[in-house]
Amino acid sequence: MQTNLAPEYRDTREGREADAILRSCVHCGFCNATCPTYQLLGDELDGPRGRIYLMKQVLEGEPVSAKTQLHLDRCLTCRNCETTCPSGVQYVRLLDIGRRLVEMKVGRAPAEAAQRWTLRRALLSKGMFGGALTVGRLVKGLLPRELGERIPSGESSGAWPAPRHARKALIMEGCVQPALKPNIDAAAARVLDRIGISAVRVPGAGCCGALSHHLVAEDEARAIVRRNIDAWWPLVHRGVEAIVVTATGCGVMVKDYGHFLAYDAAYAAKAKKISELARDPIEIVTAEWKKIAPRIAMDQGPQRIAFHSPCTLQHGLRIRGQVEEILLAIGHSLLPVADTHLCCGSAGTYSVLQPAIANQLKESKLKALTASRPDVIATANIGCLTHLQSGTEVAVKHWIEILDTRMFEAPRSP
Ligand code: SF4
Ligand code: SF4
């Protein structure tokens, strides 16, 4: 695609990056075929090709309006278009730049700005979020059904193993997951412990930064990323072999720390090292499978599982098929699910900011997931898990919890 960037962007780092991405797009439109918002809304400007065109206009200095912003806001950042694109267009990198420039030009209406600020404050403060969740659970029955469905029940996390191994991995806890589903990280810690890796948590770290980044609060996102690096660095220095991130949405962000702080002289090298250490648990489970296999209880009978692969797993981390293989290998039945490539509508804060589209996507996804009447729905990201659970009676679990319940402490003789 030919471009002619406005002088204000032509010689900037972001301008050059955006220009290279725009030029890699050949405008073929293949990406529209797999874009959930284009499929739902049927508007070219609500598909990747149209959004790329809108961002080209912004970068070329054309007038920008709230309408431009709306079409960019409606993007789920699911990256389905990146998987489909034959030219390797880095759409989400361009979107990050485009959204920031549009925000600077157009701003936000006061009500929208207040909603976004409140979301950031509520979700970034573990104390505030945990307190609100506790109160919400107490009064759940009194709330309107729509709101009550969004509040998950409390659960016990089970034991977190005491450190006993020379091999150590750090588990990143994130912002909302410890309050919503504490068993996910505890299950990951137990699985790691049984294969000879002690999982440690670090006070002082928190949200991965994706929440602020996606709400275009860039300074806040950078401060959060630096805070996490500072909290983790002493353990990295002492040789932890991995930073395990059990929420794929956060995993994509942590694996991108190197790029995110590439021009921060004080943090660039550390951020790159953090990205290199970041692992989704499936990467470790797959690599250590020979140690796991003899500890699996294969006599418990299969559960019928429908797996929802989050966009952040299949399109963001580009890990496909591995969780499904593990679920089969531990003796479960995997049910067929239609349109596995499509987003469930959770997408971070998207389900709050764009509820109409998010709910349509959730309904379609749940229809596909429950078509074969599963015992349980498995997934890999806390956002998808709570979003889907709010619309179904079928239990939705992280796959590591399912693996945890099938694993013995010591190997069993064949
Ligand atoms: S992003 Fe890729 S698939 Fe979409 S129009 Fe551009 S080149 Fe074609
Ligand atoms: S990231 Fe997802 S919603 Fe956004 S344009 Fe690409 S496919 Fe469509």
Side-chain angles (χ1 to χ4, degrees), residues 366-394:
L366 281 172
K367 200 170 161 201
L369 286 165
T370 56
S372 302
R373 307 177 85 78
D375 301 319
V376 60
I377 294 170
T379 189
N381 185 48
I382 182 68
C384 309
L385 189 156
T386 50
H387 184 62
L388 292 171
Q389 190 67 87
S390 71
T392 179
E393 296 295 320
V394 181

Side-chain angles (χ1 to χ4, degrees), residues 9 54 57-59 61-69 72 98 101-103 105-106:
Y9 304 127
L54 287 174
Q57 286 183 319
V58 173
L59 283 147
E62 302 275 330
V64 186
S65 70
K67 195 169 173 297
T68 311
Q69 191 174 45
L72 299 191
L101 298 181
V102 170
E103 193 96 357
K105 296 259 179 206
V106 180

Side-chain angles (χ1 to χ4, degrees), residues 65-331:
S65 70
K67 195 169 173 297
T68 311
Q69 191 174 45
L70 176 66
H71 291 300
L72 299 191
D73 281 352
R74 283 185 187 149
C75 173
L76 294 141
T77 60
C78 67
R79 298 183 187 235
N80 209 334
C81 49
E82 291 190 0
T83 297
T84 308
C85 175
S87 304
V89 172
Q90 293 182 296
Y91 167 85
V92 167
R93 286 244 202 283
L94 180 65
L95 184 75
D96 286 344
I97 297 169
R99 276 182 170 169
R100 204 176 66 75
L101 298 181
V102 170
E103 193 96 357
M104 278 161 54
K105 296 259 179 206
V106 180
R108 288 276 168 194
E112 255 187 276
Q115 184 190 31
R116 288 168 165 250
W117 184 88
T118 308
L119 263 179
R120 292 194 343 256
R121 294 285 70 77
L123 298 179
L124 288 176
S125 161
K126 282 187 187 176
M128 196 186 294
F129 181 76
L133 189 61
T134 305
V135 173
R137 281 171 177 156
L138 287 172
V139 299
K140 191 171 173 176
L142 307 173
L143 296 173
R145 194 173 59 91
E146 271 277 293
L147 189 57
E149 280 174 352
R150 287 175 170 264
I151 301 173
S153 306
E155 64 172 26
S156 143
S157 63
W160 188 290
R164 59 178 172 140
H165 302 296
R167 293 177 70 188
K168 299 231 171 356
L170 198 157
I171 289 205
M172 183 201 148
E173 293 189 284
C175 47
V176 297
Q177 187 171 293
L180 286 172
K181 291 281 167 188
N183 189 51
I184 295 174
D185 282 345
R190 289 189 289 270
V191 168
L192 290 172
D193 182 67
R194 291 177 200 126
I195 57 180
I197 304 172
S198 284
V200 287
R201 292 172 283 192
V202 176
C207 174
C208 63
L211 176 74
S212 307
H213 177 52
H214 292 146
L215 292 174
V216 203
E218 287 304 306
D219 290 345
E220 184 176 86
R222 285 178 206 286
I224 288 170
V225 172
R226 289 188 201 104
R227 178 207 61 196
N228 285 349
I229 294 173
D230 287 342
W232 295 335
W233 200 252
L235 277 160
V236 172
H237 201 60
R238 290 210 292 275
V240 288
E241 62 182 62
I243 297 172
V244 180
V245 190
T246 55
T248 51
C250 307
V252 169
M253 181 72 191
V254 179
K255 287 206 181 203
D256 200 40
Y257 275 13
H259 171 263
F260 198 63
L261 292 187
Y263 296 92
D264 182 325
Y267 280 86
K270 288 181 177 179
K272 183 167 175 284
K273 177 71 179 170
I274 297 289
S275 293
E276 288 165 2
L277 287 172
R279 296 278 182 286
D280 188 88
I282 192 60
E283 295 177 88
I284 297 179
V285 165
T286 303
E288 303 279 346
W289 179 246
K290 281 191 182 152
K291 286 186 190 162
I292 295 173
R295 293 164 190 260
I296 298 298
M298 295 297 281
D299 51 357
Q300 290 181 9
Q303 280 192 305
R304 292 160 49 79
I305 298 181
F307 181 62
H308 165 58
S309 180
C311 301
T312 39
L313 181 68
Q314 56 175 318
H315 305 304
L317 298 174
R318 298 189 176 225
I319 296 175
R320 298 178 193 124
Q322 294 184 20
V323 175
E324 294 91 322
E325 273 179 29
I326 295 297
L327 290 172
L328 286 171
I330 63 176

Side-chain angles (χ1 to χ4, degrees), residues 320-343:
R320 298 178 193 124
Q322 294 184 20
V323 175
E324 294 91 322
E325 273 179 29
I326 295 297
L327 290 172
L328 286 171
I330 63 176
H332 293 300
S333 309
L334 214 51
L335 303 176
V337 178
D339 295 328
T340 50
H341 61 291
L342 286 179
C343 180

